């Protein structure tokens, strides 16, 4: 699919959103833009409350808890993820985002709780079974398979390969045709992610950003329905971030459900349809991206709820006024000395 | 000079001898385990012992035909692989290493124990089980044959012929598997299990298949050794052989089809050449007897192999066949 990530800047996204309620046909093609519009329109009327029911949930989480010794890493009462939308999962370090990812994909088993995908219970499934159902994930620390080539990395993602069974592997006739088709699909994806020139290089020789791209492309080889990205932009330079953002949006436009963990709020505001905020293992807020920065619980979680608690309100005002006065005085100082310097050099 | 030529000829025989086949088969198995799948099996010799004793016990003790003995040996190796893999393959790689090294040593001690003597022959082991096999030779096994400056007995030649055919078939199997999607999954497991799991592959099943396959190769090695020596004695199957096989694998180049084969041949050649060469140098007085006596040679040749391996790892860490780019990549 020829999708150029360049047009997907923050502004492009805004303008698209603006045209959505009017029902204006996007030039990108009505079929491709369809799922995005559906998800956004569906989420428009959903109230911004924790545990709110979504019109068309792909993943439903109920009463999931996971403790490590005395520490409760995850304790989510109810969470629904809208199908075909991009859901951002944010929260301070140690909030339990990655642990929740691990639980949902079978990499970790919870102490209690159930969760389902398309109404199918996912509890007790092992990671490869979850992946076969169409829920594929990436990792916070990129897991490129270093001593395999880029193309081999991609081919590994393909599902239902006949040649992966031991006995059929010995009879190339049973898998050669499928391998050829998979290779073509892999090359298409590599071209889209601009990695096609690197196809015969070892994945271990790629840069950090290219590995992120490869990992995402490899996940797409499995033709997933839900893509879970654990910090896809971490450690990636700003130019590549834009390209990655474009790819994530493309996933939504192809009808996939995307859940991603991210720390960069600009990124989250830019691409997500819905944002879930976690802190200390709990979901403390969810809502449209714009609702989150004003949410008191979120601000408290990031900055500390009681960092100013011992002070009374009068005290707080007084300290604030003093601070501001001091700041003003300092700034005027700087400006006047600045002016003095200019005068001297100007004449 | 004539002495050195002689040493070269004797070492040349070791290059093709049944011991080289033994190590080659052990190392091919380890290549599947360690080189391709990333499984740390430090008890490969246990599979070899089960292979050797599978034949020895079936034929000498139970009076079964030779080929049934081969089957028993292979089945025993499969069972051992399953027993070792079931509890450990879900865990980190080092657990398999611990369990295999303990099993190899423990199994040998069980086989040589007094209570096992009625079955395994205890410390004296079993013999006279390769008659059926030798009888299959298409040439006169009583005669001696001269080939390129070396002398072979007819039965020796037969064992070596079948042994190398076996090595060729096993290498072919490994080659066919590793170029297939199956091999791709297995190599990916070596790189990162979790990534492979997240792509919908049953990592546990693949690791088990690899463990069983490599174990069967090891059992074949033990069979060749037992037939080559004409006896199966538990103490022949010291676990040091596992590490020599690793040395051969690294010498030849891990994760290469022919790496373990060429590595084993060279390892045996170097060991034999150092042995005969040093002895003749001592006998000629080139090396003074005060410096080195001929009884020290047996130990010294391993020192030489060790130095050689160190030089190899410094100057050619990928082994003879390996790809330097591949080895130089970071683990991550």
């Amino acid at each position: 699919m020829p999708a150029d990530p360049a047009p997907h800047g923050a502004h492009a996204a805004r303008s698209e959103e603006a045209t959505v309620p009017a029902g204006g046909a996007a030039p990108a093609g009505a079929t491709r833009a369809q799922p995005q519009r559906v998800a956004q329109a569906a989420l428009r009327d959903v109230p911004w409350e924790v545990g709110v029911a979504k019109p068309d949930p792909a993943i439903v989480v109920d009463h999931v808890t996971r403790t490590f010794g005395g520490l409760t890493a995850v304790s989510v009462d109810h969470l629904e993820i809208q199908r075909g939308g991009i859901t951002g999962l944010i929260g301070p370090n140690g909030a339990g985002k990655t642990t929740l990812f691990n639980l949902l994909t079978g990499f970790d088993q919870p102490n209690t709780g159930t969760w389902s995908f398309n109404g199918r219970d996912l509890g007790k499934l092992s990671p490869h079974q979850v992946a076969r159902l169409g829920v594929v994930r990436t990792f916070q620390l990129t897991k490129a398979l270093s001593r395999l080539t880029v193309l081999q990395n991609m081919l590994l993602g393909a599902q239902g390969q006949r040649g992966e069974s031991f006995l059929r592997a010995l009879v190339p006739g049973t898998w050669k045709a499928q391998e050829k088709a998979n290779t073509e699909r892999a090359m298409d994806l590599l071209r889209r992610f601009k990695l096609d020139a690197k196809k015969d290089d070892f994945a271990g020789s790629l840069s950090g950003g290219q590995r992120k791209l490869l990992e995402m492309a490899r996940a797409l080889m499995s033709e997933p329905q839900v893509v879970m990205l654990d910090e896809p932009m971490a450690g990636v330079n700003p130019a590549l971030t834009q390209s990655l953002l474009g790819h994530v949006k493309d996933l939504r436009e192809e009808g996939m459900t995307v859940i991603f963990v991210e720390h960069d709020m600009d990124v989250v505001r830019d691409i997500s349809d819905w944002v879930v905020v976690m802190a200390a293992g709990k979901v403390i807020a969810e809502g449209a991206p714009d609702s989150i920065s004003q949410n008191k619980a979120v601000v408290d979680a990031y900055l500390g709820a009681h960092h100013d608690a011992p002070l009374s309100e009068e005290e707080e005002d007084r300290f604030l006024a003093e601070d501001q006065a001091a700041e003003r005085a300092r700034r005027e100082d700087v400006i006047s000395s600045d002016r003095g310097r200019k005068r001297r050099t100007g004449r | 000079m004539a002495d050195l030529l002689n040493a070269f000829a004797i070492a040349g025989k070791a290059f093709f001898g049944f011991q080289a086949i033994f190590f080659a088969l052990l190392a091919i198995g380890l290549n599947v385990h360690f080189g391709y799948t990333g499984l740390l099996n430090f008890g490969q010799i246990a599979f070899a012992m089960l292979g050797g004793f599978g034949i020895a016990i079936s034929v000498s003790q139970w009076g079964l035909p030779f080929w049934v003995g081969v089957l028993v040996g292979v089945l025993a190796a499969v069972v051992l692989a399953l027993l070792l893999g079931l509890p450990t393959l879900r865990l980190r790689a080092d657990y398999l290493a611990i369990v295999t090294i303990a099993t190899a040593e423990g199994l040998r001690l069980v086989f040589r124990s007094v209570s096992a003597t009625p079955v395994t022959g205890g410390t004296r082991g079993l013999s006279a089980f390769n008659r059926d096999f030798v009888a299959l030779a298409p040439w006169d096994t009583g005669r001696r044959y001269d080939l390129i400056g070396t002398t072979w007995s007819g039965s020796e030649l037969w064992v070596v012929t079948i042994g190398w055919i076996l090595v060729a078939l096993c290498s072919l199997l490994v080659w066919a598997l590793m170029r297939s999607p199956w091999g791709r999954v297995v190599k990916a497991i070596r790189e990162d299990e979790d990534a492979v799991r997240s792509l919908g592959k049953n990592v546990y099943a693949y690791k088990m298949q690899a463990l069983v396959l490599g174990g069967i190769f090891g059992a074949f090695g033990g069979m060749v050794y037992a037939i080559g020596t004409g006896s199966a004695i538990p103490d022949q199957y010291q676990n040091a052989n596992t590490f020599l096989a690793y040395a051969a694998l690294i010498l030849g180049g891990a994760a290469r089809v022919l790496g373990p084969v060429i590595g084993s041949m060279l390892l045996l050649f170097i060991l034999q050449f150092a042995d005969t060469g040093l002895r003749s140098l001592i006998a000629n007085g080139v090396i003074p007897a005060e410096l080195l006596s001929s009884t020290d040679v047996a130990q010294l040749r391993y020192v030489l192999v060790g130095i050689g391996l160190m030089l190899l790892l410094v100057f050619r860490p990928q082994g003879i066949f390996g790809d330097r780019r591949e080895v130089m990549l970071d683990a991550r």
Side-chain angles (χ1 to χ4, degrees):
Chain A
M1 181 161 291
D4 185 14
H8 296 283
H11 302 290
R14 289 277 147 68
S15 59
E16 268 171 39
E17 275 168 35
T19 58
V20 163
T31 47
R32 271 183 60 198
Q34 197 69 21
Q36 170 191 3
R37 229 179 300 160
V38 167
Q40 283 189 341
L43 290 170
R44 185 131 304 170
D45 305 324
V46 174
W48 299 344
E49 294 165 2
V50 173
V52 69
K54 310 288 187 308
D56 182 15
I59 291 181
V60 180
V61 179
D62 265 313
H63 305 294
V64 166
T65 61
R66 177 73 171 102
T67 57
F68 298 110
L71 176 83
T72 303
V74 166
S75 168
V76 174
D77 277 342
H78 188 78
L79 179 64
E80 294 183 7
I81 307 287
Q82 173 70 16
R83 187 189 317 282
I86 298 181
T87 301
L89 184 57
I90 63 170
N93 290 325
K97 306 180 295 290
T98 298
T99 309
L100 183 63
F101 259 42
N102 286 342
L103 293 172
L104 291 181
T105 48
F107 278 87
D108 194 4
Q109 295 298 324
N111 299 83
T112 64
T114 57
W115 63 105
S116 63
F117 165 61
N118 281 350
R120 205 194 139 135
D121 193 18
L122 286 188
K124 302 275 176 281
L125 288 190
S126 51
H128 71 270
Q129 291 168 317
V130 175
R132 281 178 195 172
L133 287 177
V135 180
V136 69
R137 70 170 295 184
T138 66
F139 293 87
Q140 190 174 354
L141 298 169
T142 322
K143 292 185 187 296
L145 305 162
S146 303
R147 284 182 289 172
L148 263 57
T149 66
V150 168
L151 184 60
Q152 282 176 324
N153 262 273
M154 292 297 289
L155 289 173
L156 195 72
Q159 296 298 299
Q161 295 191 51
R162 284 191 283 273
E164 284 182 356
S165 105
F166 182 86
L167 290 177
R168 272 185 298 216
L170 296 172
V171 191
T174 57
W175 49 265
K176 270 280 151 78
Q178 192 186 27
E179 184 85 348
K180 194 154 170 277
N182 282 339
T183 307
E184 273 167 25
R185 205 156 58 81
M187 285 311 295
D188 281 348
L189 274 169
L190 284 179
R191 267 190 286 279
R192 179 169 141 192
F193 283 80
K194 298 198 167 57
L195 286 171
D196 48 334
K198 299 254 175 201
K199 75 180 172 76
D200 293 323
D201 290 8
F202 283 121
S205 70
L206 297 180
S207 72
Q210 288 170 328
R211 287 183 206 203
K212 290 267 179 204
L213 286 172
L214 175 61
E215 199 181 25
M216 198 187 281
R218 189 176 66 196
L220 296 187
M221 266 307 275
S222 68
E223 300 185 312
Q225 298 175 48
V226 177
V227 184
M228 300 178 71
L229 306 168
D230 200 346
E231 300 202 17
M233 323 292 174
V236 172
N237 72 52
L240 200 53
T241 300
Q242 281 310 313
S243 145
L244 270 165
L245 283 179
H247 290 305
V248 175
K249 286 183 204 160
D250 285 344
L251 302 186
R252 170 177 60 190
E253 290 177 10
E254 284 165 29
M256 287 176 219
T257 305
V258 181
I259 310 173
F260 76 107
V261 170
E262 187 49 62
H263 283 298
D264 185 342
M265 278 310 291
D266 287 335
V267 169
V268 173
R269 216 171 294 130
D270 181 8
I271 65 169
S272 32
D273 302 319
W274 192 259
V275 177
V276 175
V277 189
M278 285 184 76
K282 290 183 164 56
V283 176
I284 55 165
E286 56 176 305
D290 295 334
S291 75
I292 294 303
S293 48
Q294 292 123 39
N295 188 308
K296 185 165 170 0
V298 178
V299 175
D300 286 352
Y302 272 95
L303 300 179
H306 306 292
H307 64 285
D308 51 3
L311 303 177
S312 69
E313 242 172 77
E314 296 91 38
E315 279 173 322
E316 198 178 326
D317 288 342
R318 190 160 48 79
F319 282 133
L320 215 62
E322 278 173 14
D323 271 355
Q324 280 170 349
E327 175 70 16
R328 211 175 297 127
R330 200 179 57 79
R331 209 178 297 152
E332 278 166 6
D333 235 37
V334 170
I335 290 168
S336 61
S337 69
D338 234 2
R339 273 192 200 129
R341 205 183 303 130
K342 262 183 202 151
R343 210 168 289 139
R344 251 172 278 130
T345 52
R347 289 290 135 92
Chain B
M1 194 60 214
D3 284 331
L4 273 184
L5 217 61
N6 184 39
F8 199 79
I10 293 176
K13 191 179 169 186
F15 192 73
F16 292 110
F18 72 85
Q19 298 211 23
I21 299 171
F22 168 61
F23 281 116
L25 286 166
L26 288 193
I28 291 172
L30 288 177
N31 199 21
V32 172
H33 289 158
F34 170 73
Y36 289 112
T37 322
L39 300 174
L40 277 177
N41 172 11
F42 284 149
Q44 178 74 338
I45 198 66
F47 294 100
M49 188 167 76
L50 289 183
F53 272 92
I55 295 181
I57 293 173
S58 306
V59 175
S60 305
Q61 304 286 62
W62 300 338
L64 297 168
F66 179 81
W67 297 110
V68 177
V70 172
L71 205 65
V72 168
V74 169
L75 280 179
V78 171
V79 170
L80 179 67
L82 292 176
L83 284 178
L84 291 175
L86 279 174
T88 57
L89 288 185
R90 284 189 204 280
L91 306 173
R92 266 198 340 254
D94 28 2
Y95 289 93
L96 181 70
I98 295 165
V99 169
T100 47
I101 200 168
T103 305
E105 203 54 16
L107 214 56
R108 181 178 66 85
L109 293 175
V110 169
F111 271 50
R112 80 193 293 280
S113 68
V114 177
S115 46
T117 304
V119 185
T120 62
T123 50
R124 296 179 60 200
L126 300 169
S127 55
F129 48 79
N130 57 359
R131 220 170 296 129
D132 285 0
F133 176 78
V134 173
L136 289 172
W139 51 72
D140 179 9
T141 50
R143 265 192 61 199
R144 299 189 80 75
Y145 297 83
D146 285 326
L147 288 174
I148 347 166
T150 56
T151 314
W152 301 73
S153 81
S155 58
E156 224 175 5
L157 213 52
W158 176 236
V159 173
V160 168
T161 307
I162 296 299
W164 284 118
I165 290 173
L166 194 59
V167 169
L169 288 177
C170 291
S171 298
L172 197 68
L173 181 64
V174 170
W175 173 79
L177 279 172
M178 291 311 158
R179 66 195 270 270
S180 75
W182 188 87
R184 185 166 60 221
V185 176
V186 155
K187 281 182 262 183
I189 291 171
R190 173 190 70 197
E191 299 300 312
D192 195 310
E193 281 180 31
D194 279 344
V196 181
R197 277 196 194 97
S198 76
L199 295 171
K201 322 289 176 199
N202 188 350
V203 168
Y204 184 63
Y206 282 101
K207 288 209 279 190
M208 189 62 93
Q209 289 169 4
L211 187 65
V212 170
L213 180 69
I216 292 174
F217 291 153
F220 283 146
M223 291 175 193
V224 170
Y225 194 77
I227 294 165
T229 56
S231 61
I233 302 165
D235 287 346
Q236 284 172 338
Y237 298 95
Q238 299 275 359
N239 206 13
N241 291 309
T242 303
F243 299 106
L244 279 174
Y246 265 108
L249 176 62
I250 289 161
L251 179 67
R256 285 290 176 279
V257 172
L258 287 180
V261 180
I262 301 297
S264 307
M265 294 169 92
L266 278 179
L267 182 74
L268 265 289
F269 180 86
I270 294 164
L271 281 176
Q272 191 60 54
F273 187 72
D275 189 76
T276 327
L278 283 172
R279 277 180 210 281
S280 65
L281 287 179
I282 292 166
N284 289 348
V286 178
I287 298 175
E290 307 90 68
L291 198 66
L292 188 71
S293 73
S294 55
T295 45
D296 296 332
V297 168
Q299 280 78 43
L300 189 69
R301 57 191 186 146
Y302 285 105
V303 175
L304 291 178
V305 168
I307 293 172
L309 269 179
M310 277 190 242
L311 291 175
L312 180 84
L313 289 182
V314 171
F315 294 108
R316 202 176 160 81
Q318 71 272 36
I320 293 167
F321 287 110
D323 182 342
R324 192 177 181 87
R325 289 185 308 150
E326 200 174 311
V327 178
M328 286 295 136
L329 284 175
D330 276 344
R332 195 118 293 286

